[in-house]
């Protein structure tokens, strides 16, 4: 039952993360300019201070929430031992990664189409599904996330829950 909860909490984290990204990128597509492929960033106009502030604020709040959600859910689920806590955290952040990959990079981008194109880059072939996946989504989600973000989130989770268990 414990691992069932880990997976359910991972799904919840994934849905919250992906829906937040979708909402913010729908409201202000330019706020994610730094997350677009470098070739698009080069031809896009400079990001406005307001859009940059939106991105930074959203990312700080979202990542803080994701890490705290993982820590609290694994603490309350009764996951024990540093290795199992690390694995539980990795599974949860991997699920967030896959939600972002399939939810935002594929489904949401396909649904929204040109509405997510940055000003001055409309019609660029760089937005095609193939180019987007090869130049941005696959390297990011099957590289940076898997060897950087997921292990970091899992390490924070395991360390914090172990500390909480020691204190309480």
């Amino acid at each position: 039952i414990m691992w069932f909860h880990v997976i359910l909490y991972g799904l919840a984290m994934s849905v919250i993360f992906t829906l937040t990204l979708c909402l913010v990128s729908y409201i202000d597509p330019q706020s994610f300019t730094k997350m677009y492929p470098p070739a698009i960033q080069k031809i896009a106009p400079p990001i406005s201070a307001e859009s940059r502030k939106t991105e930074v604020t959203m990312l700080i709040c979202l990542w803080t929430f994701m890490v705290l959600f993982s820590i609290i859910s694994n603490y309350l689920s009764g996951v024990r031992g540093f290795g199992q806590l690390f694995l539980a955290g990795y599974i949860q952040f991997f699920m967030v990664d896959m939600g972002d990959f399939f939810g935002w990079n594929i489904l949401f981008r396909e649904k929204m189409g040109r509405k997510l194109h940055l000003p001055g880059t409309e019609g660029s072939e760089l937005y095609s599904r193939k180019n987007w996946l090869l130049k941005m989504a696959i390297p990011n989600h099957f590289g940076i996330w898997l060897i950087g973000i997921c292990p970091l989130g899992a390490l924070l989770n395991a360390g914090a829950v172990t500390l909480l268990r020691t204190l309480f």
Side-chain angles (χ1 to χ4, degrees), residues 29-38 41 47 52 55 118:
Q30 194 178 16
S31 66
F32 286 109
T33 299
K34 298 271 186 219
M35 295 181 191
Y36 278 52
Q41 291 180 35
I47 187 171
R52 181 72 179 140
E55 176 197 21
L118 299 174

Side-chain angles (χ1 to χ4, degrees), residues 16 28 48 60 67 69 76 79 85 99 102 131-132 140 146 150:
I16 292 166
D28 184 9
S48 70
I60 289 171
V67 170
F69 192 101
L76 296 175
V79 181
L85 285 163
F102 289 107
N131 280 332
W132 187 272
N140 186 23
L146 293 183
C150 290

Side-chain angles (χ1 to χ4, degrees), residues 101-152:
F101 179 75
F102 289 107
W104 192 87
N105 283 287
I106 296 178
L107 298 174
F108 187 70
R109 282 195 62 257
E110 289 294 317
K111 179 76 174 157
M112 298 310 297
R114 291 184 168 264
K115 293 178 185 175
L116 296 179
H117 292 196
L118 299 174
T121 67
E122 298 90 347
S124 172
E125 68 182 41
L126 297 168
Y127 286 110
S128 73
R129 178 186 272 185
K130 179 182 176 186
N131 280 332
W132 187 272
L133 290 175
L134 291 177
K135 297 187 188 309
M136 204 288 279
I138 291 172
N140 186 23
H141 290 282
F142 294 96
I144 294 169
W145 269 85
L146 293 183
I147 62 172
I149 296 171
C150 290
L152 180 60

Side-chain angles (χ1 to χ4, degrees), residues 50-103:
E50 184 178 323
S51 289
R52 181 72 179 140
K53 184 179 175 184
T54 300
E55 176 197 21
V56 169
T57 303
M58 187 274 308
L59 289 174
I60 289 171
C61 292
L62 187 58
W63 280 108
T64 301
F65 179 80
M66 289 293 114
V67 170
L68 288 175
F69 192 101
S70 179
I71 291 166
I72 293 167
S73 68
N74 288 316
Y75 180 79
L76 296 175
S77 294
V79 181
R80 300 212 184 277
F82 193 86
Q84 286 197 359
L85 285 163
F86 184 87
L87 180 60
Y90 194 93
I91 289 168
Q92 289 172 334
F93 282 97
F94 176 74
M95 293 176 84
V96 171
D97 176 28
M98 291 298 99
D100 183 16
F101 179 75
F102 289 107

Side-chain angles (χ1 to χ4, degrees), residues 81-82 85 157-167:
F82 193 86
L85 285 163
N157 174 67
V161 175
T162 300
L163 180 62
L164 285 171
R165 292 219 185 282
T166 303
L167 296 174

